[in-house]
Structures are given as structure tokens and as C-alpha cells.
Amino acid sequence: MGVATTLPPPTTSKTLQKQHLEAVGAYQYVLTFLFMGPFFSLLVFVLLFTSLWPFSVFYLVWLCVDWDTPNQGGRRSEWIRNLAIWRQLRDYYPVKLVKTAELPPDRNYVLGAHPHGIMCTGFLCNFSTESNGFSQLFPGLRPWLAVLAGLFYLPVYRDYIMSFGLCPVSRRSLDFILSQPQLGQAVVIMVGGAHEALYSVPGEHCLKLQKRKGFVRLALRHGASLVPVYSFGENDIFKLKAFATGSWQHWCQLTFKKLMGFSPCIFWGRGLFSATSWGLLPFAVPITTVVGRPIPVPQRLHPTEEEVNHYHALYMTALEQLFEEHKESCGVPASTCLTFI
């Protein structure tokens, strides 16, 4: 039985001040996601040529000393994870977290998160903050949201995202977490990655999954249960300009991804002060993240291709079943089906 963790206030009961705070919460996340990394990278570089150069030098020395921390569990801050701004972000859409089965803390888990969307808003809210009370809903579990490893090369931004419990989506980092003596580690991997963001068209549910099997190998190496997770509404908070597969624009996007690790997308939301204009404020569409039932996985230090394919097939079936069971209650038409590419 699904259990929603929050009951956000109805829109009709929200005061003007509450609506403004929610918009600020949503907008600051967008600005931070897009610009915080490049801004501080440029700032550290520019300060080297000013009278404030000692600040940059001191930070760069600290960066060298602290370089490996992201691969060793990072440096999370419960204060950051519990800030009130995340509750405003949650209420803006609103974002909900639904539990369909118990996840006992006597084992580890690899949660496959779908779809990636443009900015992974639902997954950040539910797994990287306590805005929806993850620790109360899943007591004893310690969530880790695995993201692009290149983000941890960006000055200051790396420290900021580590405070949420984010970690690099690399073998070394994930092996470290799942090898901890304390059980209950829950690694959340956006399996489709940046490539899947290119298919984040509102109303569509297209997942890059057929050939993505690394997360299954990870689960087998550590005997961690696989858990499908689907975030309904994640693709609907922005409009996306999608280019046809095989077009030169799509080729440029894929080439850029191979070089830089992420795919450039042309997307837009509504204006900050006007719902009828273009802007970067996301559309206030409900996001419901549903956590499925665990799939027990045996530990195999050197899993065979047959074992990987077997559990990958089980996972895809469980994910499709999860989608079918919850799509209508989350506003998705009954005729809509998942598409795997």
C-alpha cells in the first residue's frame, strides 16, 4: 500500500507570502543547479589576479588536500538537509514520496531512479533532503544520491553538494559506500543519466535502460537488493526542445555529452513574475516519487553476463509493473506505457 509522506497545503489556502516563498525555493534550486559551479570556478580563478589572491590559493591548497573526500563518503550536513527552503521547494510543485514496501535496514540497496528529467528535482527533494521525511519513512537507511563525477571538480560547489549526501557515480565511490560495515546504505542511481535528459518531453515516459547494466553489476558485487523508483511528473516541470534522432542537432548533443559528461538541452519554464512568459521558473506540476519493492540479489564478486542479464530483466519487469500500478493515481492516462531504449 502506498503511503504519501506529506500533505502539502492546497493551493487555494496558500497566502500570497507562502506562494512567493515557494517560488523562491524553486527558483534558487534552478539557479544553483545551473550557475553555482561555473560561478565559483570563475571566481576562484579571477581572484588569483587581485589583492584577494590568498583566498584562492588557500582554497586550492585545501582542494588538493581534500580531493579524495567525495570518493570516501563525502561530508554530509544534516543542517543543510533540513533547511526550511527545501520544504518550500517541496510545496511549490508539490513533491511527494510514496512507499510501497518495507526496506529493512539489515541490508544495502541500489535504487534505480527514473526518469532523469532536466534537474532531478524529485530525487533531490526526497533523497537528498529531509523535506519529505525520508528517515522517518525508511528508518535506518542512509540515502546517497549518485551524480556526475565531474561536478566534484568544481570549487565550492563540490562542498555544497557533498553536504546533501551526494556522491560521484563512479565504481570507486559506490564500492566504498556499499562496503561500509554499517548496513542500511541506499545508493540512488539515475540509471538513464544525462542522455535520458534529452527525452524529458512532458507527457512522455522514455527511459534509457536497455543497455544500462552497470547498476545491476554493482548490486551483484555487493549483494545489495535492487529497488525500482519512478518519479511521476519529473518530465513535466519544464518544456523541452527535442531533436529527432539522427539529426545534426541531436548528434551535437551526443558528441558534447561524450566530451563533457552531460547533454546540453534547450528547455524553458515560466517567468518569475508572469505565468504567461518564458523563464527558468519550473511549472508547478505535482511530482510523485514512488519507491518500489526490493528485488533480492545474491552476492557475486565476479558476476557472469547471464546473471547480470537475469537480474536486469527482473528489474525492468518490476519497474514496468510499478509504473502500471501507480500511473493513473499520479495523473498519467491509462493508455500510456513506458518506452525503453
Side-chain angles (χ1 to χ4, degrees):
M1 178 180 295
V3 180
T5 62
T6 58
L7 292 174
T11 303
T12 54
S13 69
K14 294 179 182 178
T15 64
L16 189 60
Q17 181 185 26
K18 171 64 173 172
Q19 294 178 46
H20 288 166
L21 287 173
E22 290 176 5
V24 169
Y27 204 57
Q28 66 81 27
Y29 173 64
V30 172
L31 296 180
T32 299
F33 185 96
L34 294 176
F35 303 118
M36 185 176 179
F39 172 79
F40 278 102
S41 298
L42 182 62
L43 180 64
V44 169
F45 177 75
V46 169
L47 287 182
L48 287 172
F49 303 95
T50 71
S51 59
L52 298 177
W53 64 266
F55 288 98
S56 287
V57 170
F58 176 78
Y59 181 82
L60 292 174
V61 171
W62 157 253
L63 186 62
C64 292
V65 173
D66 195 57
W67 187 257
D68 213 31
T69 297
N71 291 313
Q72 297 178 344
R75 190 168 45 246
R76 74 170 59 202
S77 165
E78 293 304 319
W79 179 75
I80 292 290
R81 290 170 54 88
N82 283 277
L83 286 175
I85 192 69
W86 308 125
R87 293 190 289 276
Q88 303 299 341
L89 172 65
R90 173 201 66 191
D91 292 343
Y92 174 78
Y93 296 97
V95 179
K96 296 180 182 179
L97 179 62
V98 174
K99 173 182 178 179
T100 64
E102 293 295 332
L103 299 182
D106 61 352
R107 68 199 71 174
N108 292 331
Y109 300 90
V110 173
L111 283 70
H114 316 267
H116 183 282
I118 300 295
M119 296 187 183
C120 321
T121 304
F123 303 126
L124 177 113
C125 254
N126 288 317
F127 300 118
S128 298
T129 79
E130 283 295 326
S131 60
N132 269 333
F134 178 90
S135 60
Q136 283 74 46
L137 198 61
F138 298 98
L141 294 193
R142 188 174 177 84
W144 303 85
L145 186 60
V147 299
L148 185 67
L151 296 177
F152 295 90
Y153 300 153
L154 301 176
V156 182
Y157 187 60
R158 68 188 289 275
D159 302 287
Y160 179 69
I161 61 178
M162 276 196 291
S163 67
F164 290 90
L166 270 62
C167 65
V169 62
S170 64
R171 176 168 179 170
R172 183 183 175 196
S173 170
L174 300 180
D175 281 346
F176 179 89
I177 292 170
L178 293 175
S179 298
Q180 295 301 298
Q182 181 181 356
L183 298 176
Q185 310 296 332
V187 173
V188 183
I189 301 176
M190 286 163 284
V191 180
H195 193 159
E196 195 171 85
L198 299 178
Y199 304 98
S200 302
V201 178
E204 296 189 9
H205 301 269
C206 184
L207 305 183
K208 183 74 173 176
L209 182 58
Q210 284 187 340
K211 296 182 179 180
R212 299 291 175 99
K213 300 179 182 180
F215 72 106
V216 178
R217 290 188 178 89
L218 175 72
L220 281 164
R221 287 202 308 272
H222 294 276
S225 296
L226 285 167
V227 182
V229 179
Y230 200 88
S231 200
F232 293 91
E234 189 69 51
N235 285 348
D236 301 327
I237 62 175
F238 287 107
K239 293 184 179 179
L240 175 77
K241 174 60 178 176
F243 298 105
T245 302
S247 65
W248 69 268
Q249 297 98 329
H250 190 257
W251 179 85
C252 288
Q253 288 177 314
L254 294 182
T255 301
F256 188 92
K257 177 188 173 294
K258 290 179 181 178
L259 295 174
M260 303 300 294
F262 65 95
S263 306
C265 300
I266 299 176
F267 66 91
W268 64 93
R270 51 157 290 182
L272 182 59
F273 302 107
S274 172
T276 59
S277 62
W278 291 13
L280 288 176
L281 183 64
F283 298 107
V285 179
I287 299 174
T288 303
T289 303
V290 184
V291 180
R293 303 174 185 85
I295 303 170
V297 174
Q299 185 170 17
R300 300 285 188 270
L301 294 181
H302 303 286
T304 65
E305 282 301 311
E306 290 75 14
E307 289 173 323
V308 171
N309 291 336
H310 172 71
Y311 285 99
H312 185 261
L314 287 180
Y315 178 86
M316 290 183 66
T317 301
L319 177 61
E320 192 166 19
Q321 182 180 357
L322 181 72
F323 180 84
E324 292 296 328
E325 288 177 354
H326 295 272
K327 64 182 181 181
E328 291 185 67
S329 64
C330 294
V332 177
S335 59
T336 302
C337 297
L338 274 182
T339 302
F340 296 116
I341 58 174

